[in-house]
Amino acid sequence: MNNSVHIISGIYKNTKIKFPNAQGLRPTSNRVKETLFNWISNQWNHNFTNKHILDLFAGSGSLGFEAASRGVKFIQMVEKNKLAVNFIKTICKNININNISIYQGDSIDFLCSKRKQNFDLVLLDPPFKYEHFEKIWHYLPNILKDGCLVYIESDSIVKTPSFLHAIRNGKAGLVNFSLSVYKDNNINLL
């Protein structure tokens, strides 16, 4: 197994994350990851503490580990592939990360099971050709704080619902990526 990525910043900087060969497992490149976390850092005034993050398609765990390295309070990872989940658990144990919870199962099932969680950031990096964004959009508002950031990475531009307002986007090779902010349309703004 020679699949690996590095954590690019924070307390675990340069830690190598090895991941298994698994269908659909495609970690975010370091270039895209660095851009994403610069965007997030700017939105949060460089303060990651007390932030709750949902990594809905964790895969290798690369994005969640990057967030942990930057000092977030809690990360909920969701991953369907049992082999990938076992690797994530091993990495957590090896580098002593204790603020990550892992749910093994389908992302839609996870969203259906949650009533209110109030995440500050949701990472959506599903396998390429993912076709169930409409289901995600249906359940997502139930777990977001107003002002929550939502990152989307895909092989094509994803049509987002009216409650997500794009603030940044980019493209690297075959990857389209964007950062949006959640605005609760039911809240009256003065």
Side-chain angles (χ1 to χ4, degrees):
M1 178 180 63
N2 58 6
N3 298 332
S4 66
V5 293
H6 286 86
I7 295 175
I8 57 176
S9 187
I11 59 175
Y12 304 113
K13 184 177 180 176
N14 294 325
T15 300
K16 189 181 225 180
I17 306 295
K18 293 184 179 182
F19 58 91
N21 286 322
Q23 184 175 0
L25 193 62
R26 175 198 41 78
T28 300
S29 72
N30 283 342
R31 177 179 161 213
V32 171
K33 189 166 47 173
E34 184 171 16
T35 299
L36 165 64
F37 279 91
N38 285 337
W39 290 350
I40 294 167
S41 186
N42 288 333
Q43 291 295 312
W44 288 348
N45 295 318
H46 311 285
N47 184 359
F48 285 74
T49 58
N50 297 320
K51 301 297 184 184
H52 290 78
I53 296 176
L54 172 60
D55 189 351
L56 202 52
F57 299 89
S60 67
S62 175
L63 292 176
F65 290 129
E66 192 68 43
S69 185
R70 292 165 190 255
V72 300
K73 185 173 185 175
F74 175 74
I75 301 143
Q76 174 66 64
M77 291 188 182
V78 178
E79 177 53 46
K80 196 177 201 177
N81 185 295
K82 184 176 183 175
L83 186 59
V85 168
N86 289 336
F87 271 83
I88 291 169
K89 287 179 180 178
T90 299
I91 293 163
C92 286
K93 183 178 177 186
N94 289 347
I95 59 178
N96 198 26
I97 296 177
N98 56 14
N99 63 340
I100 292 177
S101 177
I102 305 166
Y103 173 92
Q104 183 183 339
D106 182 74
S107 59
I108 303 297
D109 292 343
F110 174 83
L111 290 173
C112 289
S113 72
K114 297 298 173 193
R115 298 286 181 250
K116 194 79 169 163
Q117 190 71 30
N118 293 328
F119 289 103
D120 299 289
L121 170 66
V122 175
L123 303 166
L124 298 175
D125 180 14
F128 277 178
K129 308 296 182 211
Y130 185 75
E131 297 177 353
H132 304 290
F133 280 105
E134 287 302 319
K135 289 181 181 177
I136 289 175
W137 306 148
H138 178 75
Y139 294 105
L140 202 58
N142 297 334
I143 61 166
L144 304 180
K145 289 181 182 176
D146 193 48
C148 175
L149 300 175
V150 178
Y151 172 71
I152 303 167
E153 184 175 319
S154 182
D155 58 335
S156 60
I157 296 172
V158 175
K159 185 176 188 246
T160 57
S162 63
F163 59 76
L164 291 180
H165 303 274
I167 52 178
R168 301 297 298 258
N169 60 59
K171 183 171 173 78
L174 299 175
V175 176
N176 291 278
F177 55 101
S178 66
L179 188 65
S180 297
V181 63
Y182 169 69
K183 294 293 183 190
D184 186 339
N185 295 331
N186 295 319
I187 292 177
N188 293 327
L189 300 175
L190 301 176

